[in-house]
Short mmCIF file of all heavy atoms in Angstrom, two decimals:
data_model
loop_
_atom_site.label_atom_id
_atom_site.label_comp_id
_atom_site.label_asym_id
_atom_site.label_seq_id
_atom_site.Cartn_x
_atom_site.Cartn_y
_atom_site.Cartn_z
N TRP A 21 -71.02 27.56 -138.14
CA TRP A 21 -71.90 28.68 -137.76
C TRP A 21 -71.40 29.33 -136.47
O TRP A 21 -71.42 30.56 -136.34
CB TRP A 21 -73.34 28.17 -137.57
CG TRP A 21 -74.18 28.23 -138.81
CD1 TRP A 21 -74.66 27.18 -139.53
CD2 TRP A 21 -74.62 29.41 -139.50
NE1 TRP A 21 -75.37 27.62 -140.61
CE2 TRP A 21 -75.38 28.99 -140.62
CE3 TRP A 21 -74.46 30.77 -139.27
CZ2 TRP A 21 -75.96 29.87 -141.51
CZ3 TRP A 21 -75.05 31.67 -140.16
CH2 TRP A 21 -75.79 31.22 -141.25
N ILE A 22 -70.95 28.52 -135.54
CA ILE A 22 -70.40 29.07 -134.29
C ILE A 22 -69.16 29.90 -134.58
O ILE A 22 -68.96 30.98 -134.01
CB ILE A 22 -70.09 27.93 -133.31
CG1 ILE A 22 -71.39 27.25 -132.87
CG2 ILE A 22 -69.34 28.46 -132.08
CD1 ILE A 22 -71.17 26.02 -132.02
N TYR A 23 -68.32 29.40 -135.49
CA TYR A 23 -67.14 30.19 -135.88
C TYR A 23 -67.54 31.53 -136.49
O TYR A 23 -66.97 32.58 -136.17
CB TYR A 23 -66.28 29.41 -136.88
CG TYR A 23 -65.37 30.33 -137.67
CD1 TYR A 23 -64.27 30.93 -137.07
CD2 TYR A 23 -65.66 30.62 -139.00
CE1 TYR A 23 -63.46 31.79 -137.79
CE2 TYR A 23 -64.86 31.49 -139.72
CZ TYR A 23 -63.77 32.07 -139.11
OH TYR A 23 -62.98 32.95 -139.82
N LEU A 24 -68.53 31.51 -137.38
CA LEU A 24 -68.97 32.76 -138.01
C LEU A 24 -69.51 33.74 -136.98
O LEU A 24 -69.28 34.95 -137.09
CB LEU A 24 -70.03 32.47 -139.08
CG LEU A 24 -69.57 31.83 -140.38
CD1 LEU A 24 -70.74 31.67 -141.34
CD2 LEU A 24 -68.47 32.66 -141.05
N MET A 25 -70.21 33.23 -135.98
CA MET A 25 -70.71 34.12 -134.93
C MET A 25 -69.57 34.75 -134.14
O MET A 25 -69.61 35.94 -133.79
CB MET A 25 -71.64 33.35 -133.99
CG MET A 25 -72.93 32.85 -134.62
SD MET A 25 -73.94 34.20 -135.35
CE MET A 25 -73.53 34.02 -137.10
N SER A 26 -68.53 33.96 -133.87
CA SER A 26 -67.37 34.52 -133.16
C SER A 26 -66.65 35.55 -134.04
O SER A 26 -66.16 36.57 -133.54
CB SER A 26 -66.41 33.40 -132.76
OG SER A 26 -65.85 32.76 -133.89
N ASP A 27 -66.59 35.28 -135.33
CA ASP A 27 -65.98 36.24 -136.25
C ASP A 27 -66.82 37.51 -136.33
O ASP A 27 -66.28 38.62 -136.47
CB ASP A 27 -65.84 35.61 -137.64
CG ASP A 27 -64.49 35.91 -138.27
OD1 ASP A 27 -63.56 36.32 -137.53
OD2 ASP A 27 -64.34 35.73 -139.49
N ALA A 28 -68.13 37.35 -136.27
CA ALA A 28 -69.00 38.52 -136.26
C ALA A 28 -68.75 39.38 -135.03
O ALA A 28 -68.77 40.62 -135.10
CB ALA A 28 -70.47 38.09 -136.32
N LEU A 29 -68.49 38.73 -133.90
CA LEU A 29 -68.16 39.49 -132.69
C LEU A 29 -66.85 40.23 -132.85
O LEU A 29 -66.69 41.37 -132.38
CB LEU A 29 -68.09 38.54 -131.49
CG LEU A 29 -69.42 37.93 -131.03
CD1 LEU A 29 -69.17 36.93 -129.89
CD2 LEU A 29 -70.38 39.02 -130.57
N LEU A 30 -65.89 39.61 -133.53
CA LEU A 30 -64.61 40.28 -133.79
C LEU A 30 -64.83 41.54 -134.61
O LEU A 30 -64.33 42.62 -134.26
CB LEU A 30 -63.67 39.32 -134.53
CG LEU A 30 -62.40 39.95 -135.13
CD1 LEU A 30 -61.50 40.49 -134.03
CD2 LEU A 30 -61.65 38.95 -136.00
N PHE A 31 -65.59 41.42 -135.69
CA PHE A 31 -65.83 42.60 -136.52
C PHE A 31 -66.69 43.63 -135.80
O PHE A 31 -66.52 44.84 -136.00
CB PHE A 31 -66.49 42.18 -137.84
CG PHE A 31 -65.51 41.69 -138.87
CD1 PHE A 31 -65.41 40.34 -139.15
CD2 PHE A 31 -64.69 42.57 -139.54
CE1 PHE A 31 -64.50 39.88 -140.09
CE2 PHE A 31 -63.78 42.12 -140.50
CZ PHE A 31 -63.69 40.76 -140.77
N ALA A 32 -67.61 43.18 -134.96
CA ALA A 32 -68.42 44.12 -134.19
C ALA A 32 -67.54 44.96 -133.28
O ALA A 32 -67.73 46.18 -133.15
CB ALA A 32 -69.46 43.38 -133.37
N SER A 33 -66.54 44.33 -132.66
CA SER A 33 -65.63 45.09 -131.79
C SER A 33 -64.79 46.06 -132.60
O SER A 33 -64.51 47.18 -132.16
CB SER A 33 -64.73 44.12 -131.01
OG SER A 33 -63.88 43.40 -131.88
N LEU A 34 -64.39 45.66 -133.82
CA LEU A 34 -63.60 46.56 -134.67
C LEU A 34 -64.46 47.73 -135.15
O LEU A 34 -63.97 48.87 -135.21
CB LEU A 34 -63.04 45.78 -135.86
CG LEU A 34 -61.99 44.72 -135.55
CD1 LEU A 34 -61.56 43.99 -136.81
CD2 LEU A 34 -60.78 45.35 -134.86
N PHE A 35 -65.72 47.46 -135.50
CA PHE A 35 -66.62 48.56 -135.88
C PHE A 35 -66.84 49.51 -134.71
O PHE A 35 -66.86 50.74 -134.89
CB PHE A 35 -67.96 47.99 -136.35
CG PHE A 35 -68.01 47.63 -137.81
CD1 PHE A 35 -68.06 46.30 -138.20
CD2 PHE A 35 -68.00 48.62 -138.78
CE1 PHE A 35 -68.11 45.96 -139.54
CE2 PHE A 35 -68.04 48.29 -140.13
CZ PHE A 35 -68.09 46.95 -140.51
N ALA A 36 -67.01 48.95 -133.51
CA ALA A 36 -67.21 49.80 -132.33
C ALA A 36 -65.99 50.67 -132.06
O ALA A 36 -66.10 51.86 -131.75
CB ALA A 36 -67.53 48.93 -131.12
N THR A 37 -64.81 50.07 -132.19
CA THR A 37 -63.58 50.84 -131.99
C THR A 37 -63.45 51.95 -133.01
O THR A 37 -63.09 53.10 -132.69
CB THR A 37 -62.35 49.91 -132.07
OG1 THR A 37 -62.47 48.89 -131.09
CG2 THR A 37 -61.06 50.68 -131.85
N PHE A 38 -63.75 51.63 -134.25
CA PHE A 38 -63.69 52.65 -135.30
C PHE A 38 -64.70 53.76 -135.03
O PHE A 38 -64.41 54.94 -135.24
CB PHE A 38 -63.96 52.02 -136.67
CG PHE A 38 -63.89 53.00 -137.80
CD1 PHE A 38 -62.69 53.31 -138.40
CD2 PHE A 38 -65.04 53.63 -138.27
CE1 PHE A 38 -62.62 54.23 -139.44
CE2 PHE A 38 -64.99 54.54 -139.30
CZ PHE A 38 -63.77 54.85 -139.89
N GLY A 39 -65.89 53.37 -134.56
CA GLY A 39 -66.91 54.39 -134.26
C GLY A 39 -66.46 55.35 -133.19
O GLY A 39 -66.74 56.56 -133.25
N VAL A 40 -65.74 54.84 -132.19
CA VAL A 40 -65.24 55.71 -131.12
C VAL A 40 -64.15 56.64 -131.62
O VAL A 40 -64.07 57.81 -131.21
CB VAL A 40 -64.73 54.85 -129.94
CG1 VAL A 40 -64.04 55.72 -128.90
CG2 VAL A 40 -65.88 54.08 -129.30
N LEU A 41 -63.30 56.14 -132.54
CA LEU A 41 -62.12 56.89 -132.98
C LEU A 41 -62.32 57.59 -134.33
O LEU A 41 -61.35 58.15 -134.86
CB LEU A 41 -60.92 55.95 -133.08
CG LEU A 41 -60.53 55.22 -131.79
CD1 LEU A 41 -59.40 54.24 -132.06
CD2 LEU A 41 -60.12 56.22 -130.72
N ARG A 42 -63.53 57.59 -134.86
CA ARG A 42 -63.72 58.07 -136.23
C ARG A 42 -63.47 59.57 -136.40
O ARG A 42 -63.31 60.04 -137.53
CB ARG A 42 -65.13 57.74 -136.72
CG ARG A 42 -66.25 58.33 -135.91
CD ARG A 42 -67.58 57.86 -136.45
NE ARG A 42 -67.75 58.20 -137.85
CZ ARG A 42 -68.88 58.66 -138.37
NH1 ARG A 42 -69.93 58.86 -137.58
NH2 ARG A 42 -68.97 58.94 -139.64
N PHE A 43 -63.40 60.33 -135.32
CA PHE A 43 -63.10 61.76 -135.43
C PHE A 43 -61.76 62.12 -134.78
O PHE A 43 -61.44 63.29 -134.61
CB PHE A 43 -64.21 62.60 -134.79
CG PHE A 43 -65.54 62.43 -135.47
CD1 PHE A 43 -66.60 61.85 -134.80
CD2 PHE A 43 -65.72 62.84 -136.78
CE1 PHE A 43 -67.83 61.70 -135.42
CE2 PHE A 43 -66.94 62.69 -137.41
CZ PHE A 43 -68.01 62.11 -136.73
N SER A 44 -60.97 61.10 -134.45
CA SER A 44 -59.67 61.34 -133.80
C SER A 44 -58.58 61.47 -134.87
O SER A 44 -57.76 60.57 -135.07
CB SER A 44 -59.35 60.20 -132.83
OG SER A 44 -60.35 60.07 -131.85
N PHE A 45 -58.58 62.61 -135.56
CA PHE A 45 -57.66 62.80 -136.68
C PHE A 45 -56.28 63.29 -136.24
O PHE A 45 -55.32 63.21 -137.02
CB PHE A 45 -58.25 63.80 -137.67
CG PHE A 45 -59.61 63.39 -138.19
CD1 PHE A 45 -60.68 64.26 -138.10
CD2 PHE A 45 -59.81 62.14 -138.76
CE1 PHE A 45 -61.94 63.90 -138.57
CE2 PHE A 45 -61.06 61.77 -139.23
CZ PHE A 45 -62.13 62.66 -139.14
N ALA A 46 -56.17 63.84 -135.03
CA ALA A 46 -54.89 64.33 -134.49
C ALA A 46 -54.22 65.31 -135.45
O ALA A 46 -53.00 65.31 -135.61
CB ALA A 46 -53.96 63.15 -134.20
N GLY A 47 -55.03 66.13 -136.09
CA GLY A 47 -54.47 67.11 -137.01
C GLY A 47 -54.03 66.52 -138.34
O GLY A 47 -53.45 67.22 -139.18
N GLY A 48 -54.30 65.25 -138.54
CA GLY A 48 -53.88 64.59 -139.78
C GLY A 48 -54.96 64.62 -140.84
O GLY A 48 -55.98 65.32 -140.71
N PRO A 49 -54.77 63.85 -141.90
CA PRO A 49 -55.74 63.85 -143.00
C PRO A 49 -57.09 63.27 -142.57
O PRO A 49 -57.16 62.37 -141.73
CB PRO A 49 -55.08 62.96 -144.06
CG PRO A 49 -54.14 62.09 -143.29
CD PRO A 49 -53.65 62.93 -142.15
N THR A 50 -58.14 63.81 -143.14
CA THR A 50 -59.50 63.36 -142.87
C THR A 50 -59.98 62.49 -144.03
O THR A 50 -59.34 62.43 -145.09
CB THR A 50 -60.44 64.56 -142.70
OG1 THR A 50 -60.53 65.25 -143.96
CG2 THR A 50 -59.90 65.52 -141.64
N PRO A 51 -61.10 61.79 -143.86
CA PRO A 51 -61.60 60.95 -144.96
C PRO A 51 -61.81 61.72 -146.26
O PRO A 51 -61.63 61.15 -147.35
CB PRO A 51 -62.93 60.43 -144.40
CG PRO A 51 -62.75 60.45 -142.94
CD PRO A 51 -61.90 61.62 -142.64
N HIS A 52 -62.17 62.98 -146.17
CA HIS A 52 -62.38 63.78 -147.39
C HIS A 52 -61.09 63.89 -148.20
O HIS A 52 -61.14 64.04 -149.43
CB HIS A 52 -62.88 65.17 -147.01
CG HIS A 52 -64.22 65.18 -146.35
ND1 HIS A 52 -65.40 65.14 -147.07
CD2 HIS A 52 -64.58 65.19 -145.04
CE1 HIS A 52 -66.42 65.15 -146.23
NE2 HIS A 52 -65.96 65.18 -144.99
N HIS A 53 -59.94 63.82 -147.54
CA HIS A 53 -58.67 64.02 -148.22
C HIS A 53 -58.04 62.72 -148.72
O HIS A 53 -57.19 62.75 -149.61
CB HIS A 53 -57.68 64.72 -147.29
CG HIS A 53 -58.12 66.09 -146.85
ND1 HIS A 53 -58.57 66.34 -145.57
CD2 HIS A 53 -58.19 67.27 -147.51
CE1 HIS A 53 -58.89 67.62 -145.47
NE2 HIS A 53 -58.69 68.21 -146.63
N ILE A 54 -58.40 61.60 -148.15
CA ILE A 54 -57.68 60.37 -148.46
C ILE A 54 -58.49 59.32 -149.23
O ILE A 54 -57.90 58.45 -149.88
CB ILE A 54 -57.13 59.71 -147.16
CG1 ILE A 54 -58.28 59.35 -146.22
CG2 ILE A 54 -56.15 60.64 -146.47
CD1 ILE A 54 -57.83 58.63 -144.97
N PHE A 55 -59.81 59.40 -149.19
CA PHE A 55 -60.61 58.36 -149.83
C PHE A 55 -60.95 58.71 -151.26
O PHE A 55 -61.29 59.86 -151.57
CB PHE A 55 -61.91 58.11 -149.05
CG PHE A 55 -61.69 57.45 -147.72
CD1 PHE A 55 -62.64 57.60 -146.70
CD2 PHE A 55 -60.57 56.69 -147.47
CE1 PHE A 55 -62.44 57.00 -145.46
CE2 PHE A 55 -60.37 56.08 -146.24
CZ PHE A 55 -61.31 56.24 -145.23
N GLU A 56 -60.88 57.71 -152.14
CA GLU A 56 -61.34 57.82 -153.52
C GLU A 56 -62.56 56.91 -153.66
O GLU A 56 -62.44 55.70 -153.84
CB GLU A 56 -60.25 57.40 -154.50
CG GLU A 56 -59.02 58.30 -154.49
CD GLU A 56 -57.99 57.86 -155.52
OE1 GLU A 56 -58.36 57.09 -156.44
OE2 GLU A 56 -56.83 58.28 -155.40
N LEU A 57 -63.73 57.51 -153.59
CA LEU A 57 -64.95 56.70 -153.58
C LEU A 57 -65.13 55.91 -154.87
O LEU A 57 -65.70 54.82 -154.86
CB LEU A 57 -66.17 57.60 -153.35
CG LEU A 57 -66.51 57.93 -151.89
CD1 LEU A 57 -67.80 58.70 -151.82
CD2 LEU A 57 -66.57 56.67 -151.04
N GLU A 58 -64.64 56.45 -155.98
CA GLU A 58 -64.78 55.71 -157.25
C GLU A 58 -64.04 54.39 -157.19
O GLU A 58 -64.56 53.34 -157.61
CB GLU A 58 -64.24 56.56 -158.41
CG GLU A 58 -65.02 57.83 -158.70
CD GLU A 58 -64.62 58.98 -157.77
OE1 GLU A 58 -63.68 58.77 -156.96
OE2 GLU A 58 -65.23 60.05 -157.86
N LEU A 59 -62.82 54.42 -156.64
CA LEU A 59 -62.03 53.20 -156.53
C LEU A 59 -62.67 52.22 -155.54
O LEU A 59 -62.76 51.01 -155.81
CB LEU A 59 -60.61 53.54 -156.08
CG LEU A 59 -59.63 52.36 -155.95
CD1 LEU A 59 -59.40 51.75 -157.32
CD2 LEU A 59 -58.31 52.83 -155.34
N VAL A 60 -63.16 52.74 -154.43
CA VAL A 60 -63.79 51.88 -153.43
C VAL A 60 -65.09 51.30 -153.98
O VAL A 60 -65.42 50.14 -153.72
CB VAL A 60 -64.05 52.67 -152.13
CG1 VAL A 60 -64.70 51.76 -151.09
CG2 VAL A 60 -62.75 53.24 -151.58
N ALA A 61 -65.83 52.10 -154.73
CA ALA A 61 -67.08 51.60 -155.33
C ALA A 61 -66.79 50.49 -156.33
O ALA A 61 -67.52 49.49 -156.40
CB ALA A 61 -67.82 52.75 -156.01
N LEU A 62 -65.70 50.64 -157.10
CA LEU A 62 -65.31 49.58 -158.03
C LEU A 62 -64.97 48.31 -157.27
O LEU A 62 -65.38 47.20 -157.66
CB LEU A 62 -64.11 50.05 -158.86
CG LEU A 62 -63.45 48.97 -159.75
CD1 LEU A 62 -64.43 48.48 -160.80
CD2 LEU A 62 -62.18 49.52 -160.40
N ASN A 63 -64.23 48.46 -156.18
CA ASN A 63 -63.86 47.29 -155.39
C ASN A 63 -65.10 46.63 -154.77
O ASN A 63 -65.18 45.40 -154.67
CB ASN A 63 -62.88 47.70 -154.29
CG ASN A 63 -61.77 46.69 -154.12
OD1 ASN A 63 -61.53 45.87 -154.99
ND2 ASN A 63 -61.07 46.75 -152.99
N THR A 64 -66.05 47.45 -154.35
CA THR A 64 -67.30 46.91 -153.80
C THR A 64 -68.06 46.12 -154.85
O THR A 64 -68.57 45.02 -154.58
CB THR A 64 -68.18 48.05 -153.27
OG1 THR A 64 -67.46 48.77 -152.27
CG2 THR A 64 -69.47 47.52 -152.70
N ALA A 65 -68.11 46.64 -156.08
CA ALA A 65 -68.80 45.94 -157.16
C ALA A 65 -68.12 44.61 -157.46
O ALA A 65 -68.79 43.60 -157.72
CB ALA A 65 -68.82 46.82 -158.41
N ILE A 66 -66.80 44.58 -157.39
CA ILE A 66 -66.06 43.34 -157.66
C ILE A 66 -66.40 42.29 -156.61
O ILE A 66 -66.66 41.12 -156.94
CB ILE A 66 -64.54 43.62 -157.67
CG1 ILE A 66 -64.17 44.42 -158.92
CG2 ILE A 66 -63.74 42.32 -157.62
CD1 ILE A 66 -62.72 44.87 -158.96
#
């Protein structure tokens, strides 16, 4: 359980980092251009 809590902190920091950088596209592709929700939804169901 202690390990899982430490792992949760790891993912929390990664989510926080992503939240800060989620609009830093630097003129590159945006989520609308690169994500295929159908494929991701299939993977989520699996």
Side-chain angles (χ1 to χ4, degrees):
W21 269 112
I22 294 174
Y23 159 72
L24 287 182
M25 294 303 101
S26 65
D27 223 16
L29 291 176
L30 168 64
F31 278 105
S33 65
L34 293 178
F35 273 110
T37 302
F38 181 85
V40 172
L41 301 175
R42 60 183 302 222
F43 297 114
S44 301
F45 304 126
T50 66
H52 296 277
H53 299 107
I54 61 176
F55 290 156
E56 295 182 17
L57 276 186
E58 295 82 3
L59 182 64
V60 180
L62 172 63
N63 221 17
T64 301
I66 289 174

